[in-house]
Amino acid sequence: MTEKKNIRKLEEGIKLEVSERNNYGGYLCLDTLFSAQKPISDPEHHDEMLFIIQHQTSELWMKLIIHELNEAIHCVQIKRLGRASKILARVKQIQKQLYEQWSVLETLTPSEYMQFRHVLGNASGFQSVHYRQVEFLLGNKNEKMVNVFPAGSESRKVLETVLDSPSIYDVFIKHLFDEGYSVPEKLVNRDLRKPHVFNQALMEVLVVIYKRPDQHWAMYALCEQLVDVEQSFQQWRFRHMKTVERIIGFKQGTGGSSGVGFLKKALELTFFPELLRLRTEL
């Protein structure tokens, strides 16, 4: 009895001869992407590849968050709050990917990491221009952070631009003001290079929205999306801190920070203080 080979035939419509630029790898520039993993430990340590890919993929996800936040800001400015809410829902899902990635890095033991940590030199996530852009776009402005990047560098120019531009919370507050809500004018004419500071009058406006959500649904829905994004960001910060604690304990960070202590302080920061405080007032 002849044994039949379990070989699936290709469908006739499948294109086999595709130019390199028009195929899957060409469209995604995979040759460039896959050539960017360059361990420098000598001899090469097996786990350095994990460390590099973990951080490179995080940078890609943050690049997408920046792309989405800029669009959400634009949508609020042109009064498309529904579209902005939808985009922020996507941002939350991207943040979920970043959060879950820590479980991969957590498989790196202290003994393994110590075998190649020295090759990082002063390199640190503290120097991530993408991470800093995300913080600025969400409203945690800090002029001093720009100095981490060399004067005249493209990274510094990008951060200066974001620093001078309104955050997602700034444009939402202005939208409330433009719609006739009792938002203090000083909040829409403030120095955008500074972080937003809690304002009692703004919270009272938001309390009105939350007490009558059906009458203010677009604003209410957007507020809740902002809270989701903040909560997801805080969860990511916490997981980051615990991962660092698990791998290096309380050693100083490669970039010169206090490490875990520095990351714990970041957990005290908030982007949208009125949205969190109003819960107590309802």
Side-chain angles (χ1 to χ4, degrees):
M1 184 175 180
T2 304
E3 183 180 346
K4 293 183 179 181
K5 294 183 178 179
N6 188 22
I7 299 176
R8 182 183 179 185
K9 293 183 179 180
L10 290 176
E11 295 178 0
E12 293 184 4
I14 293 178
K15 301 183 184 301
L16 299 177
E17 297 182 7
V18 182
S19 68
E20 189 171 324
R21 179 62 187 91
N22 293 324
N23 67 15
Y24 178 79
Y27 173 73
L28 296 176
C29 300
L30 293 183
D31 286 344
T32 300
L33 185 65
F34 293 153
S35 66
Q37 294 75 49
K38 300 176 181 179
I40 59 176
S41 53
D42 187 21
E44 182 179 324
H45 191 277
H46 172 80
D47 296 307
E48 191 180 357
M49 183 66 75
L50 159 65
F51 192 83
I52 291 172
I53 290 178
Q54 170 88 23
H55 288 82
Q56 287 180 337
T57 52
S58 294
E59 289 292 328
L60 284 171
W61 283 125
M62 284 190 283
K63 181 176 181 178
L64 183 55
I65 288 177
I66 293 164
H67 177 72
E68 300 295 346
L69 287 177
N70 278 320
E71 178 64 11
I73 287 170
H74 173 66
C75 286
V76 176
Q77 289 173 323
I78 62 174
K79 304 183 185 303
R80 294 187 63 189
L81 298 197
R83 167 75 174 163
S85 290
K86 194 265 186 186
I87 291 170
L88 291 177
R90 177 182 292 172
V91 169
K92 183 174 64 175
Q93 294 303 319
I94 301 168
Q95 290 175 307
K96 184 176 180 180
Q97 305 308 309
L98 284 166
Y99 175 85
E100 293 294 344
Q101 278 191 192
W102 289 121
S103 63
V104 182
L105 194 62
E106 285 170 351
T107 66
L108 182 67
T109 68
S111 299
E112 291 164 343
Y113 184 45
M114 286 305 112
Q115 293 181 57
F116 68 87
R117 188 187 189 221
H118 62 281
V119 304
L120 303 182
N122 294 323
S124 167
F126 184 79
Q127 301 146 5
S128 168
V129 66
H130 280 155
Y131 174 78
R132 201 57 57 193
Q133 282 183 76
V134 172
E135 287 242 340
F136 284 7
L137 287 168
L138 291 175
N140 185 25
K141 302 286 187 74
N142 188 334
E143 291 182 277
K144 292 182 179 179
M145 291 301 179
V146 174
N147 297 326
V148 173
F149 305 91
S153 66
E154 189 59 33
S155 294
R156 187 156 178 166
K157 291 177 183 176
V158 167
L159 278 185
E160 287 283 0
T161 298
V162 181
L163 191 63
D164 288 327
S165 302
S167 70
I168 184 68
Y169 203 39
D170 286 323
V171 295
F172 178 60
I173 291 171
K174 186 176 186 303
H175 175 76
L176 291 173
F177 179 83
D178 291 342
E179 292 296 307
Y181 288 87
S182 301
V183 174
E185 188 171 352
K186 67 178 182 180
L187 292 182
V188 296
N189 294 316
R190 69 181 193 84
D191 183 356
L192 294 176
R193 296 175 68 91
K194 305 295 183 184
H196 171 80
V197 177
F198 174 83
N199 183 277
Q200 180 67 30
L202 175 60
M203 189 187 72
E204 291 171 3
V205 169
L206 295 172
V207 166
V208 170
I209 291 172
Y210 269 73
K211 284 185 174 180
R212 299 179 178 84
D214 290 343
Q215 296 178 24
H216 314 274
W217 183 257
M219 278 71 77
Y220 174 76
L222 186 58
C223 285
E224 282 299 285
Q225 291 292 354
L226 289 171
V227 172
D228 281 349
V229 169
E230 164 131 359
Q231 186 171 4
S232 295
F233 198 94
Q234 289 287 49
Q235 289 172 342
W236 180 87
R237 277 174 170 160
F238 179 79
R239 190 75 178 271
H240 182 193
M241 182 269 292
K242 297 304 289 185
T243 301
V244 171
E245 183 180 47
R246 174 174 178 155
I247 297 175
I248 68 168
F250 291 85
K251 292 184 178 72
Q252 186 180 51
T254 49
S257 75
S258 58
V260 169
F262 177 81
L263 297 174
K264 280 185 176 179
K265 289 179 182 178
L267 290 170
E268 299 173 3
L269 300 173
T270 181
F271 300 117
F272 320 121
E274 294 83 4
L275 287 175
L276 298 179
R277 188 86 67 85
L278 70 81
R279 265 81 181 154
T280 306
E281 302 298 320
L282 291 176

